Amino acid sequence: ANVDAVIIATPDRLHVHQSIAAVKAGKDVYCEKPITHWQQFEPLKQLAQETRQRKRILQVGTQWLSDSIWHQAAELIKEGVIGKPVHAQTGYFRVGDWGERGMPIDDTNAKPGPDLDWEAFLADAPKRPFDVSRFFRWRMYMDYSGGPCTDLYPHNFTPIIKALGVTFPETVVAVGGKYRYNDEREAPDTFAMLIEYPEGVTVAVLGTIANEWGLAPVIRGYDATMLFEGPGIVIQPQSGVKKERREVTRQRSGSDHEHMRNFLQCVRSREKPYSDIELGYYVQTALIMGMLAYIKGKVVQFDRKQERIEI
C-alpha cells in the first residue's frame, strides 16, 4: 500500500504482464523498452486500455525522448514549418549485440531452484526444459527477443513518431537476417522496415549490429527538410520555396536521469510523461508488425477500427 510506483527491468517477455499487474494494483510504472515481446500484441492492447481506464502514469524507457528537440520538432511540424510531412528516416547501428558477444553466461552450472525461477522467466513463451544459454543470453533467441527491431529501434523510432504526430501505421514491410552472427543466434542481426501511415508519410527504420556507422535522422516535408544536427534542429527549405534556412537550439539535453526525473515528476503531478503509454502503443504496434512482416515474408496491415493486426 505504501508503494506508489514500480520500475520494470526484466527480460522483454515479462514487461507487459508485470506492467498490467502493477497498473491493476493502482501503481504507476516505468517500464524499460520494449514494452512487449513481438508476439504480445493483445497484451499490449490490454495494457493500453488498463492504463487509460485506471488513469495510471506509464513511462516507457525510451530515454532519447527526454531530449527536448523531439518535442520542439513536434510543435514546429504542427505549425507547418516543413509543409506536409512525407518521409522520414532513422537508424540504429553498432557492432555486436548484448545477446551475442556481450551477454555472457554468468554461471554455467546454474540450475532452477529458489533463486532461479525458470517458469517465471518463460512467462507465456513456449514451454521447454531449462537451458542455461537461453536464460543468460536470452536476447539471442526469438522466443524472448526480436533482435534490433524490438531491442534497439524503440530508442530511435519513438522520437520520430513523436515529432510526426502519427499514431497507428497502415502498412509495414520488412527484410533482414543473420548476416554476421549466424551461429547459435536465432534473432536477426540486420533489420530494415518501411512503415506507411494513413496521413501520407512513410518512415524508413534501418539498422544492423554488424557495422557502427550511423544514419542521421531526417524528416522531409513538401516545403523543407528537418535535420537533427547543429544546435539541435536545422530546417533546410526545398529549392524554389521562399523560406530561409533556420536553426533551432535545443532547450534541454536528454539523459537517463532526465527521463527518470520526468517520470517521478509526473507521478506527483499526474501530467503526461515524455514517453507515455499511448506513444508506446503506437510505436510497439509498428515494431510488432515489422517482425511479423519479416517472419512471414508478407505485407502486414493494421485495422484501425478494430485495433487489429492483419496479415
Side-chain angles (χ1 to χ4, degrees):
N2 295 325
V3 175
D4 297 311
V6 299
I7 298 173
I8 295 173
T10 52
D12 296 358
R13 195 109 204 180
L14 304 172
H15 289 176
V16 71
H17 299 302
Q18 293 170 338
S19 293
I20 289 171
V23 167
K24 283 185 171 182
K27 312 305 177 185
D28 296 325
V29 176
Y30 183 107
C31 182
E32 66 178 0
K33 57 75 204 166
I35 50 175
T36 75
H37 181 265
W38 58 267
Q39 290 179 320
Q40 294 173 321
F41 176 71
E42 287 304 322
L44 169 65
K45 188 173 174 180
Q46 182 187 352
L47 176 59
Q49 292 169 343
E50 294 284 356
T51 306
R52 280 187 217 119
Q53 291 169 5
R54 297 170 190 272
K55 295 183 170 55
R56 293 293 94 201
I57 300 296
L58 192 150
Q59 174 93 300
V60 183
T62 50
Q63 301 94 325
W64 295 10
L65 204 57
S66 63
D67 187 330
S68 70
I69 60 168
W70 303 108
H71 306 269
Q72 292 170 256
E75 291 303 316
L76 290 166
I77 290 172
K78 199 182 297 182
E79 290 168 15
V81 297
I82 65 169
K84 182 191 176 304
V86 65
H87 189 275
Q89 70 186 44
T90 182
Y92 200 122
F93 295 81
R94 74 180 186 204
V95 173
D97 179 45
W98 310 145
E100 185 62 37
R101 298 291 182 262
M103 203 176 189
I105 297 176
D106 297 316
D107 181 0
T108 55
N109 297 315
K111 297 283 191 303
D115 298 321
L116 196 166
D117 191 334
W118 177 242
E119 292 303 314
F121 167 83
L122 288 176
D124 57 0
K127 301 302 178 187
R128 63 172 59 243
F130 175 74
D131 183 297
V132 72
S133 178
R134 285 175 173 265
F135 184 74
F136 285 105
R137 301 193 295 174
W138 54 268
R139 289 190 191 277
M140 290 174 56
Y141 302 96
M142 290 289 276
D143 280 351
Y144 324 114
S145 177
C149 179
T150 54
D151 289 358
L152 301 178
Y153 296 174
H155 281 308
N156 59 299
F157 179 51
T158 301
I160 295 291
I161 297 310
K162 172 66 179 180
L164 287 171
V166 293
T167 60
F168 292 112
E170 190 166 67
T171 305
V172 179
V173 296
V175 295
K178 295 179 289 181
Y179 301 156
R180 179 169 180 172
Y181 303 117
N182 192 14
D183 43 23
E184 187 183 348
R185 181 185 180 89
E186 294 176 0
D189 58 35
T190 301
F191 198 87
M193 56 193 292
L194 288 175
I195 309 160
E196 184 181 38
Y197 287 88
E199 292 83 359
V201 58
T202 297
V203 180
V205 187
L206 312 173
T208 183
I209 58 169
N211 181 280
E212 65 187 6
W213 193 265
L215 174 75
V218 174
I219 298 177
R220 300 174 176 87
Y222 285 1
D223 299 335
T225 301
M226 185 173 279
L227 309 167
F228 297 89
E229 58 184 38
I233 299 172
V234 173
I235 298 167
Q236 181 65 48
Q238 295 263 66
S239 58
V241 175
K242 294 181 179 179
K243 286 186 177 182
E244 295 294 320
R245 183 180 183 275
R246 180 177 169 188
E247 294 189 354
V248 179
T249 302
R250 68 167 29 87
Q251 297 167 348
R252 179 193 64 248
S253 295
S255 66
D256 294 357
H257 176 271
E258 171 60 26
H259 208 59
M260 183 59 71
R261 187 204 63 78
N262 171 249
F263 171 64
L264 296 175
Q265 181 185 46
C266 291
V267 169
R268 297 185 184 100
S269 68
R270 314 314 294 170
E271 295 174 0
K272 185 169 76 171
Y274 295 149
S275 194
D276 70 313
I277 183 59
E278 300 303 332
L279 182 58
Y281 187 16
Y282 305 144
V283 166
Q284 194 65 16
T285 296
L287 297 179
I288 289 172
M289 291 170 67
M291 287 300 295
L292 294 174
Y294 159 70
I295 290 163
K296 296 182 179 295
K298 292 186 177 181
V299 176
V300 176
Q301 296 179 316
F302 192 75
D303 183 333
R304 287 194 170 203
K305 289 183 180 178
Q306 301 293 326
E307 285 187 36
R308 184 175 63 203
I309 293 172
E310 298 183 335
I311 304 172

